[in-house]
């Protein structure tokens, strides 16, 4: 009479054990293959899983004009220039072909303004800063940048070897840039800098001798002297701050789920050496400017 009781007890224990097991515990199959849950986690960055502005297309924003050496011939879609090449390299890591990338015009100062974005990410020499990160998200840095000072050759400021020698200069700079912050906090000129809505306006002011110098990202400074302002020269380079290095990052709408996937892509480009090769191809001259202390 005791044997049926033992069988009933054993059955109860089996049911209890089953009730305590996770409902979707499929970490491995009987053959040791990854579970459904593990595959889902692995596939979050798969092309078909990405949440995009336009389904099937990776939409990338940048300003117009798109200046060298970041882009070539004012055409981000041609894959030439440092940032165009970086954008397509990231797109490739995410699984997109060239014809699946769409470019859209986004003015520099509106890219990091609060609110919804009509792009998946923006690439436009945008430095990662705490104040901007309150309104948008950034990828990890893809380029460490310094500021460059450009002056007309033959002027007293063209021969400056220190930041102190620029304090009397009338300096032009684009609004909303870290270059403007660097002029005010690092150079600290006696005259407030002349601020222009567009970089080209600052360049033209220098060309017309309305200002003594301009401050721009160092690679841009090389383009200014080579192609935009005849007779100009790079006075030197300096860091925007004495703490963490200034880095450019790809910019996203706040809360974008793409950030982690793009970070993964950038990490792969760095570890493989491809990002360094792109930098070497398009920004080789930037290392040669003298340091201004």
């Amino acid at each position: 009479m005791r044997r049926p009781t033992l069988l009933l007890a054993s059955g109860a224990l089996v049911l209890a054990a089953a009730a305590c097991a996770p409902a979707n515990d499929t970490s491995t199959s009987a053959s040791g293959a990854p579970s459904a849950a593990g595959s889902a986690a692995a596939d979050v960055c798969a092309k078909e899983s990405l949440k995009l502005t336009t389904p099937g297309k990776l939409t990338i924003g940048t300003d117009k004009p798109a200046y060298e050496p970041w882009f070539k011939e004012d055409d981000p879609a041609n894959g030439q220039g440092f940032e165009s090449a970086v954008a397509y390299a990231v797109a490739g890591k995410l699984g997109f072909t060239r014809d699946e990338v769409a470019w859209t015009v986004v003015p520099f100062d509106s890219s990091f303004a609060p609110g919804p974005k009509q792009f998946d990410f923006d690439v436009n020499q945008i430095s990662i800063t705490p104040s901007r990160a309150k309104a948008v998200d950034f990828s990890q840095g893809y380029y460490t940048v310094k500021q460059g000072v450009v002056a007309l050759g033959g002027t007293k400021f063209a021969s400056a070897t220190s930041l102190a020698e620029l304090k009397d200069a009338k300096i032009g700079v684009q609004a909303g840039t870290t270059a403007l912050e660097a002029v005010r906090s690092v150079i600290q000129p006696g005259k407030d800098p002349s601020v222009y809505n567009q970089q080209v306006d600052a360049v033209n002011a220098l060309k017309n001798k309305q200002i003594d110098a301009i401050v721009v990202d160092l690679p841009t400074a090389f383009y200014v002297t080579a192609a935009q302002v005849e007779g100009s020269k790079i006075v030197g380079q300096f860091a925007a701050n004495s703490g963490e290095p200034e880095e450019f990052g790809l910019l996203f709408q706040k809360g974008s789920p793409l950030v982690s996937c793009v970070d993964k892509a950038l990490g792969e480009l760095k570890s493989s050496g491809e990002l360094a090769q792109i930098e070497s191809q398009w920004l080789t001259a930037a290392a040669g400017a003298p340091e201004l202390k």
Side-chain angles (χ1 to χ4, degrees), residues 13-23:
L13 287 172
V14 170
L15 289 172
C20 292

Side-chain angles (χ1 to χ4, degrees), residues 145-150 172-174 177 179 183 199 202-203 214-222 224 236 238:
V145 66
K146 287 192 174 181
Q147 301 300 321
V149 181
V150 178
V173 69
Q174 183 181 356
T177 61
V183 170
Q199 179 183 294
V203 170
I214 60 172
V215 173
V216 291
D217 300 322
L218 184 59
T220 300
F222 279 89
V224 171
F238 68 98

